[in-house]
Amino acid sequence: MNRMADAKAKRAARKAELEKQLEELMPILRKAQAEYEEVRSRDGPPDPRKEKKKTPSKGKITIHVERGMNLLACDIGGTSDPYLVISVLDKDKKVVESVKSPVFKKTLCPEFNFRHEFLVTDDYKGVTIKVEVMDKDLLKDDHMGQHIILAEYLWPEDCKRVKVAEEVLFSKKGGVKAQGILKMSVAYESEEMRKKVTAYEAEEEVASKARRELYKPKAELEKQRDAIEEAIKFPPEDEELIDAVLDDNVDRAKKALDDGADPMARSKHTNTYMIHAAATRQCVDMIILLADAGANMHTLDGRGKGVNFLFMNKSPAYDLKQKYLAHPILKSLNDEDEKIKAELAAEKEQKKKDDAKYR
């Protein structure tokens, strides 16, 4: 009993010490959390990329055509020699600038990977960008299809929000589909926007650094709090005991119990009682050790039975039973189980008699 009392006193003293540490830590943690939340909640500079109203300004448009797919076959052999013609047209539909890609021989799915940048000025609102696919021939090149981009719809977009899309090709005669698809992206970047975004990102980096500096101590304090709370809920000596039980290491289990382990604690890893683990592993010495340490055998079975129900029925060996029954606590438990069995059998027999009487 002295051993059990000493272990219980150790557990109580350790828990009290941990609870005191937690009580001292919490005000510091709450202050750190409040400081961090106060800085995080401050309104930072407005993100220029989220402005609803934007106007065209000097900058550049970048077009990237990755590939063509299932293009129109213009040659006798069922293939084509496609190339791109990308043109910028002003509001009067006059060509301001035009570029061509290399020619890809005998293919209907060319890997263009063609990129070009057009510089734009304030008067570019209303211009049109035309992407044409042409078939190279000796006499006259054939038109295979085109895709039209209205520059004014690019102004609200930011260069960091580029989206690759599969655009269907149309013929010159408006509305009539030409065969094929171009996988491409178009991005607009204005000098004004670039300056705004650069300034915003610089301010945001300063604010982010301030948040990080406050987050580090807060996170460290939260880590300490979690460690203390876990140590209170799952003391390390209890985990050491369950490991010893699972390893059938009685000496190691004795040491853990001497260090204050609770023989009735649940493990956070296995979510089971120590005695339950020992019983299912059929380790008699471990069961006796835990019984002596104060483990409640009646927690094992919802029907009121203890370790006998789990252990004896699984270990028919005579020498194990004798060793088991030689221990006063376990023998008392076995006698109690036998008494329960006899009462249940008597109740069952009486029920049979009653049923036969009223038939």
Side-chain angles (χ1 to χ4, degrees):
M1 292 300 293
N2 289 336
R3 178 181 175 184
M4 289 172 59
D6 291 343
K8 190 173 182 180
K10 284 183 181 179
R11 288 198 297 272
R14 188 177 292 112
K15 184 178 179 181
E17 182 183 349
L18 290 170
E19 287 175 343
K20 183 180 178 182
Q21 292 177 15
L22 187 62
E23 186 179 353
E24 293 172 352
L25 179 68
M26 289 310 294
I28 304 172
L29 174 58
R30 281 193 289 268
K31 183 180 177 182
Q33 287 175 331
E35 290 175 350
Y36 173 73
E37 290 299 330
E38 194 274 329
V39 170
R40 196 177 72 163
S41 63
R42 289 176 190 168
D43 292 332
D47 189 344
R49 292 167 292 192
K50 295 181 180 179
E51 293 176 8
K52 292 184 178 180
K53 292 183 179 179
K54 299 179 184 177
T55 56
S57 61
K58 187 177 180 181
K60 66 181 180 181
I61 294 175
T62 303
I63 299 179
H64 180 209
V65 182
E66 293 186 7
R67 65 176 67 88
M69 296 177 284
N70 302 320
L71 299 181
L72 189 66
C74 298
D75 296 339
I76 297 175
T79 61
S80 296
D81 302 323
Y83 66 94
L84 298 172
V85 178
I86 303 177
S87 307
V88 176
L89 290 71
D90 62 18
K91 56 186 177 181
D92 298 323
K93 305 304 179 186
K94 292 182 180 179
V95 176
V96 177
E97 187 177 354
S98 182
V99 293
K100 294 181 180 180
S101 75
V103 178
F104 290 78
K105 296 287 187 179
K106 299 185 182 303
T107 179
L108 299 181
C109 297
E111 296 287 337
F112 289 117
N113 196 24
F114 184 70
R115 182 190 298 269
H116 190 73
E117 295 179 354
F118 296 99
L119 296 178
V120 297
T121 56
D122 291 347
D123 59 355
Y124 256 61
K125 187 175 182 180
V127 302
T128 302
I129 302 168
K130 182 167 66 173
V131 182
E132 296 179 280
V133 184
M134 304 293 293
D135 174 50
K136 187 68 176 175
D137 280 335
L138 293 175
L139 299 177
K140 182 182 178 182
D141 294 351
D142 297 323
H143 184 272
M144 300 172 67
Q146 65 183 21
H147 179 68
I148 302 296
I149 302 162
L150 299 179
E152 61 183 298
Y153 291 112
L154 297 176
W155 302 131
E157 298 298 328
D158 175 64
C159 59
K160 293 188 177 180
R161 298 179 185 175
V162 178
K163 185 167 68 174
V164 177
E166 294 182 356
E167 306 292 357
V168 178
L169 295 175
F170 291 81
S171 69
K172 285 184 178 179
K173 298 178 181 179
V176 180
K177 278 188 180 181
Q179 183 175 328
I181 291 174
L182 286 183
K183 190 171 184 180
M184 58 185 292
S185 63
V186 183
Y188 165 69
E189 180 183 6
S190 70
E191 289 184 5
E192 181 184 355
M193 175 63 73
R194 186 164 61 249
K195 289 177 183 177
K196 286 183 179 180
V197 170
T198 302
Y200 164 77
E201 288 177 343
E203 290 185 55
E204 183 59 29
E205 177 58 31
V206 173
S208 179
K209 185 177 180 181
R211 288 194 295 269
R212 287 197 300 270
E213 289 301 318
L214 287 173
Y215 178 78
K216 287 179 183 177
K218 180 184 84 76
E220 185 60 34
L221 289 169
E222 287 175 340
K223 188 176 179 182
Q224 291 178 30
R225 176 201 62 194
D226 294 343
I228 294 173
E229 287 179 345
E230 181 164 306
I232 292 173
K233 188 175 181 181
F234 301 107
E237 59 272 14
D238 289 354
E239 296 304 310
E240 174 66 15
L241 178 58
I242 191 65
D243 288 341
V245 170
L246 294 176
D247 288 342
D248 296 335
N249 192 326
V250 177
D251 292 335
R252 186 177 164 193
K254 281 181 182 178
K255 185 177 184 308
L257 289 168
D258 290 338
D259 290 339
D262 183 1
M264 286 306 300
R266 284 181 180 269
S267 167
K268 67 179 177 180
H269 299 298
T270 62
N271 192 30
T272 186
Y273 288 117
M274 314 296 176
I275 186 65
H276 196 168
T280 54
R281 296 177 71 80
Q282 303 179 13
C283 181
V284 181
D285 292 334
M286 190 69 75
I287 293 171
I288 293 172
L289 175 68
L290 294 172
D292 286 338
N296 181 5
M297 302 301 186
H298 289 283
T299 61
L300 293 177
D301 183 58
R303 290 177 288 181
K305 297 184 181 181
V307 72
N308 183 52
F309 178 79
L310 288 171
F311 179 74
M312 290 292 288
N313 294 340
K314 292 182 179 179
S315 302
Y318 179 78
D319 56 340
L320 289 180
K321 285 187 179 182
Q322 295 307 308
K323 187 176 183 181
Y324 177 80
L325 294 174
H327 192 274
I329 294 178
L330 301 182
K331 185 178 185 306
S332 172
L333 180 67
N334 182 71
D335 293 343
E336 190 176 329
D337 284 347
E338 293 297 333
K339 182 181 178 181
I340 292 172
K341 286 179 185 177
E343 289 174 355
L344 290 173
E347 288 177 6
K348 188 176 180 181
E349 187 63 29
Q350 184 62 42
K351 190 174 184 301
K352 283 183 180 180
K353 291 180 179 179
D354 292 341
D355 289 344
K357 183 178 180 180
Y358 291 104
R359 282 180 184 173

